[in-house]
Amino acid sequence: MSARLPRIAVFTLGGTIASVPQSGVADAVPKLSAEELIAAIPQARNLAELELTSFRQYPSGDLTPEDIIELAGRIDSTGPEIDGFVITQGTDTLEETSFLLDLLLDTDRPVVLTGAMRNSGLPGADGPANLLAALRVALAPQARGVGPLVVFNDEIHLPRFVRKMHSSNVAAFNSPNAGPIGWINEDRVRIVLRPGTHTATFERAHLRTLPNVGIISIGLGSPPVDPSFVAGYDGLVVQSFGGGHVPSMMVQSLASIAATKPVILATRTGAGEIYESTYAFPGSERDLLERGLVSAGTLDAFKARLLLTLLLASGADRSTIDKRFTETTA
């Protein structure tokens, strides 16, 4: 008698991978159910028993943190008969949802996210190949205990580092500060790098109503921040020049905001991290950190926003916020 196949729970959230054209090859919208997505890769049924859930049917820009918190609850409450999880969604927010799940999930079972850059009506649609690769990673023993993973174009990425780097290329995802931690080759999963530490996850039961955290990006000649502009925010993330620099004319306004609510300093470059003590001119990283801004370290502004959102929702004070950003980006 043959041993049972492993069981994988698949949650679909919409996006390009689930989109079909409404007229010819244009006007694609998310329509495909979980069952229809799996039907495009018949070999999947030979790999695992699949438990399919059409969780959402959204373009990924319509997903909210509340959706992902609910999804994390569904995953963590799933019984031990499920060996791993695959999530499909749109690529526009994949780097954010994967990081949010990394902050929320409390499971050592593989959780793999993927999507597509070309919808099913286009030549070379990449959804089926990405979904099959994600299933293979979710079945791989070496994917246990790593935390959520993003699988795209046969590469395996950590949510903390992965970013969508191109608006249309099928190789849109990369991890500028770390690179992929593995790949799939001839149907074999290779995870050759593993994170050394994983910061504690947030307890969903302790999260209050999610706050409103804004992002502002600094450009050439940016003026001081108008206090009325940020009055409705509970926290702020600043996308700065380089290693953490802003025009000197902005410094006092940012310091005033940081005196009343947390302000996180991130770099707009897409790679690297915030300096701590290289420069000391007005508007430099040292100047801003001494005035109460908090370094995002290696986190980009969008992930820093999500981390700050959960910290505020859990009632964290300033010292806790500073400590958690230091731990997350160490």
Side-chain angles (χ1 to χ4, degrees), residues 164-182:
K164 185 176 180 179
M165 305 291 290
H166 199 283
S167 63
S168 59
N169 198 306
V170 294
F173 285 84
N174 204 342
S175 296
N177 278 338
I181 65 166

Side-chain angles (χ1 to χ4, degrees), residues 45-317:
R45 297 288 185 179
N46 298 323
L47 296 175
E49 295 181 16
L50 302 177
E51 182 179 291
L52 307 178
T53 302
S54 297
F55 184 74
R56 295 289 188 271
Q57 193 63 282
Y58 296 161
S60 66
D62 281 350
L63 292 170
T64 66
E66 288 83 358
D67 291 321
I68 305 308
I69 291 171
E70 182 182 342
L71 177 60
R74 290 281 295 273
I75 291 172
D76 277 338
S77 63
T78 300
E81 72 278 1
I82 297 297
D83 299 296
F85 304 87
V86 169
I87 301 161
T88 67
Q89 67 157 86
T91 60
D92 285 346
T93 58
L94 181 58
E95 63 198 83
E96 293 177 76
T97 57
S98 62
F99 182 67
L100 192 52
L101 285 172
D102 197 28
L103 297 174
L104 292 167
L105 286 174
D106 184 24
T107 180
D108 66 349
R109 291 175 287 182
V111 178
V112 184
L113 296 91
T114 194
M117 294 299 295
R118 295 175 180 166
N119 69 67
S120 60
L122 294 175
D126 54 329
N130 285 339
L131 179 51
L132 182 59
L135 287 167
R136 293 192 187 283
V137 174
L139 290 165
Q142 60 265 46
R144 293 187 69 93
V146 181
L149 297 168
V150 172
V151 171
F152 224 91
N153 200 38
D154 284 340
E155 292 184 338
I156 305 168
H157 296 267
L158 291 176
R160 172 179 162 185
F161 298 110
V162 74
R163 297 193 69 182
K164 185 176 180 179
M165 305 291 290
H166 199 283
S167 63
S168 59
N169 198 306
V170 294
F173 285 84
N174 204 342
S175 296
N177 278 338
I181 65 166
W183 59 86
I184 301 97
N185 182 59
E186 292 184 330
D187 301 335
R188 294 188 295 268
V189 175
R190 307 294 196 198
I191 297 179
V192 296
L193 301 171
R194 295 174 66 91
T197 59
H198 188 276
T199 54
T201 56
F202 288 86
E203 295 187 24
R204 292 184 303 279
H206 294 167
L207 295 178
R208 307 168 185 171
T209 301
L210 295 185
N212 187 14
V213 176
I215 298 176
I216 61 171
S217 189
I218 306 305
L220 181 67
S222 287
V225 181
D226 186 341
S228 64
F229 175 76
V230 297
Y233 291 125
D234 302 292
L236 189 67
V237 179
V238 177
Q239 279 190 309
S240 68
F241 300 129
H245 306 151
V246 303
S248 59
M249 70 184 80
M250 297 189 70
V251 170
Q252 190 53 55
S253 64
L254 290 174
S256 297
I257 296 167
T260 62
K261 63 189 69 176
V263 179
I264 311 300
L265 185 65
T267 175
R268 73 176 195 177
T269 61
E273 61 184 281
I274 294 296
Y275 294 166
E276 294 182 359
S277 58
T278 298
Y279 298 99
F281 55 80
S284 68
E285 79 286 345
R286 182 169 181 174
D287 180 41
L288 295 171
L289 295 176
E290 288 178 350
R291 292 175 183 270
L293 279 71
V294 176
S295 171
T298 59
L299 290 181
D300 62 53
F302 307 104
K303 290 170 186 172
R305 172 179 172 268
L306 292 172
L307 177 56
L308 180 57
T309 296
L310 293 188
L311 283 165
L312 292 173
S314 64
D317 58 18

